[in-house]
Amino acid sequence: MSSGLVDAPPSEPSAPTGWRRHWLRWAIAISVTVVLLVAGIAVGIAVKLNGNIKHIDVTADLGATRPPKVAGTAMNVLIVGSDQRDGKNAKYGHHISGERTDTIMLAHVSSKRDNAMVISFPRDSLVQLPACRATGSLTGQRPHLGMINESFNSGGIGCTWKTIESLTHIRIDHFVKVDFTGFKSMVDAVSGVEVCLPTRVDDKKALLHLPAGRQTLNGEQALGYVRARYSLGDGSDIGRIQRQQMFIASMVKKVMSGETLTNPAKLLAFLNAGTKAVTTDPDLTPNVMKDLAVSMQGLDAGKIRFITTPWHYSLTQPGRVEWVQPQAGKLFQIVAKDQSVEGVKGGQAKVSRSQIQVELRNGTWRGGLATEVAAYLEQRGYHIAHIGDSGKKPQPKTTIMYGPNGETRVPTLTNDLQAAVSKPVPGATTNRLVLVIGDDWKGLKPQRADDTESIKGFDATHDTCAA
């Protein structure tokens, strides 16, 4: 598929495959929780939906020392995607006993109900884990440096809650654990969700065959879209996080639209499917969600931001990630103090990195260089549309190619590179930038401590076709 700038090259090998994630849970967890909290239960069906939701009390797992509750009515909800491969879930993969999680997020709703944030914690984050008690069949957790998702495996949702509070110093009010069997029906209940594909997709494993461009996916197609591994973007796990964040943003926008909220039958069908897929603490009832929804009626999709905890690949444990400081700490402080991310100042470029899609082409004989560069750009917040090779090698100069619609995005990428020249391509229609890596490649400039763009993320009105 052509990018609109030059002929598309053959694909370079995809990103490292050491991370074994099932990102389907990610998509469903955010879909259910954000919509329940923001769209809410606003059509008088709380009794029916309350019967769908399961509850678990984890108060005894949290310990006596917890972050203070900020004055006001801000709400922080822990979201965990449960990978339980039995019963109705067995058809989505090999049977595995018990539960695991590949998804940990935090939804923050401001006390003024004028903005909301959804923060994603990468599954393979290396962090200092706290002690958790044994409960039921779970062995508990000793304090140690490990991956953040270990807490769920060792101590369940209560241990995960305690771990996130200890790491972020954010007081959590509720949790939502999400199963993924209702995903297709949720998408179909809102008559599909719109996405934009940079290239055609043919993925036999995901049973997904879609043309390029803007289109609306039904439930079956959406399931394949969020499960696809190597047929979209650069094939990396972070790339999937970015793609699925945009999918969920599109779903939230659709559910919050008048088309859904003013159609009681459609909203009921969506909420019925969503509530059947969740388990919460006893205090997070449909009535609480309804009251929250009433207080947030003036909130629009542009005030809901999706953010990934600032990260970089670990130098000591390949395949793992570590959080970037001070950016991660600033993000957590904003949430803990119920501040607005819009007020953050720092080295933000003219066009946000989250609004830019980059196609990478290796113009050197160094195998895997484009994949390596893609990882660095993803750390900064760029979206990688495709990775491949240049038609001619070697290319002496690292070059940013752009069409008229992408010209305003060039300074942002240029400011992050040690050395690059830019080249306009007349007649191109895409906004995407094509970065051809040449023999003069010197890497990215060091990220400044005051560069806080990564904690701003993007909002639910983000249009991937315009990126």
Side-chain angles (χ1 to χ4, degrees):
M1 181 70 188
S2 173
S3 69
L5 296 177
V6 290
D7 290 340
S11 294
E12 187 176 85
S14 60
T17 59
W19 292 1
R20 301 180 300 278
R21 300 184 183 175
H22 305 285
W23 288 110
L24 177 58
R25 270 74 63 203
W26 200 103
I28 295 144
I30 271 217
S31 298
V32 176
T33 305
V34 174
V35 173
L36 289 180
L37 292 178
V38 178
I41 302 166
V43 290
I45 56 174
V47 174
K48 172 180 173 59
L49 298 180
N50 189 52
N52 292 341
I53 300 177
K54 299 176 288 293
H55 298 287
I56 298 176
D57 189 351
V58 297
T59 305
D61 298 322
L62 304 181
T65 304
R66 299 181 58 197
K69 174 68 176 176
V70 177
T73 58
M75 184 179 292
N76 298 313
V77 181
L78 175 66
I79 308 167
V80 169
S82 169
D83 179 14
Q84 188 166 5
R85 298 287 186 93
D86 54 14
K88 293 181 180 180
N89 292 342
K91 64 181 179 180
Y92 296 112
H94 299 296
H95 175 74
I96 302 173
S97 61
E99 285 185 286
R100 291 164 174 79
T101 181
D102 292 322
T103 305
I104 303 173
M105 293 158 289
L106 189 69
H108 170 77
V109 181
S110 71
S111 58
K112 294 181 179 179
R113 305 297 189 252
D114 57 356
N115 70 85
M117 287 185 279
V118 180
I119 302 170
S120 172
F121 303 96
R123 169 192 180 273
D124 284 343
S125 298
L126 282 173
V127 295
Q128 189 62 46
L129 301 171
C132 292
R133 68 170 190 156
T135 177
S137 62
L138 301 175
T139 60
Q141 177 173 276
R142 61 177 178 79
H144 71 286
L145 180 68
M147 289 197 302
I148 196 170
N149 71 321
E150 291 181 31
S151 293
F152 189 83
N153 304 340
S154 302
I157 183 63
C159 184
T160 301
W161 182 329
K162 182 178 181 179
T163 295
I164 297 301
E165 284 196 341
S166 70
L167 293 171
T168 65
H169 305 294
I170 297 169
R171 177 82 173 209
I172 297 173
D173 302 292
H174 302 287
F175 83 83
V176 174
K177 184 178 70 170
V178 187
D179 177 64
F180 60 84
T181 53
F183 180 65
K184 291 193 295 183
S185 60
M186 288 164 56
V187 175
D188 287 333
V190 293
S191 302
V193 174
E194 185 180 88
V195 301
C196 186
L197 301 178
T199 59
R200 178 178 177 81
V201 175
D202 287 292
D203 191 314
K204 293 182 180 179
K205 290 184 178 180
L207 303 176
L208 190 64
H209 302 279
L210 297 170
R214 192 187 300 273
Q215 57 206 285
T216 298
L217 304 186
N218 62 29
E220 190 68 40
Q221 292 170 323
L223 184 62
Y225 179 79
V226 298
R227 296 180 73 192
R229 290 176 178 269
Y230 304 114
S231 57
L232 291 164
D234 66 346
S236 76
D237 293 307
I238 297 297
R240 278 196 295 273
I241 289 178
Q242 294 174 332
R243 169 165 48 90
Q244 291 165 357
Q245 282 177 329
M246 289 187 286
F247 178 86
I248 301 309
S250 183
M251 176 176 275
V252 169
K253 183 168 60 175
K254 180 72 174 285
V255 174
M256 292 182 67
S257 70
E259 178 185 347
T260 301
L261 292 180
T262 59
N263 186 329
K266 182 177 290 188
L267 183 59
L268 173 59
F270 181 87
L271 294 175
N272 190 46
T275 52
K276 284 181 178 179
V278 304
T279 300
T280 76
D281 58 281
D283 293 330
L284 185 57
T285 65
N287 281 325
V288 172
M289 298 178 190
K290 181 190 68 174
D291 293 341
L292 179 62
V294 170
S295 69
M296 296 176 65
Q297 287 180 347
L299 183 68
D300 60 54
K303 293 297 184 180
I304 305 173
R305 306 199 71 82
F306 293 80
I307 305 168
T308 301
T309 302
W311 62 276
H312 61 73
Y313 285 112
S314 173
L315 297 178
T316 59
Q317 296 192 34
R320 308 296 185 228
V321 303
E322 297 168 350
W323 295 348
V324 175
Q325 298 296 352
Q327 286 85 353
K330 289 181 179 179
L331 172 61
F332 302 150
Q333 187 177 52
I334 287 170
V335 176
K337 294 184 177 181
D338 190 27
Q339 299 172 338
S340 172
V341 73
E342 298 296 341
V344 177
K345 297 181 180 180
Q348 186 171 7
K350 295 179 180 179
V351 177
S352 171
R353 297 172 185 137
S354 66
Q355 295 178 306
I356 300 175
Q357 289 193 7
V358 181
E359 180 174 331
L360 283 161
R361 299 185 181 175
N362 190 352
T364 76
W365 294 113
R366 293 169 54 187
L369 180 59
T371 299
E372 178 184 326
V373 174
Y376 293 135
L377 292 176
E378 284 174 336
Q379 290 175 20
R380 301 287 175 97
Y382 292 96
H383 296 281
I384 306 303
H386 184 74
I387 293 178
D389 283 304
S390 175
K392 295 181 181 179
K393 290 187 178 184
Q395 295 287 339
K397 295 284 188 180
T398 297
T399 305
I400 302 172
M401 297 190 297
Y402 62 94
N405 293 336
E407 184 174 4
T408 58
R409 290 158 166 74
V410 174
T412 301
L413 182 56
T414 301
N415 288 340
D416 274 326
L417 305 181
Q418 292 279 11
V421 297
S422 57
K423 177 183 178 181
V425 180
T429 58
T430 180
N431 292 332
R432 191 191 318 171
L433 303 181
V434 174
L435 177 60
V436 180
I437 306 168
D439 281 338
D440 67 337
W441 174 253
K442 295 181 175 62
L444 273 64
K445 296 176 183 177
Q447 194 164 10
R448 302 185 307 272
D450 65 347
D451 184 350
T452 55
E453 184 185 344
S454 60
I455 71 174
K456 294 190 175 183
F458 64 92
D459 63 51
T461 63
H462 185 74
D463 186 350
T464 55
C465 276

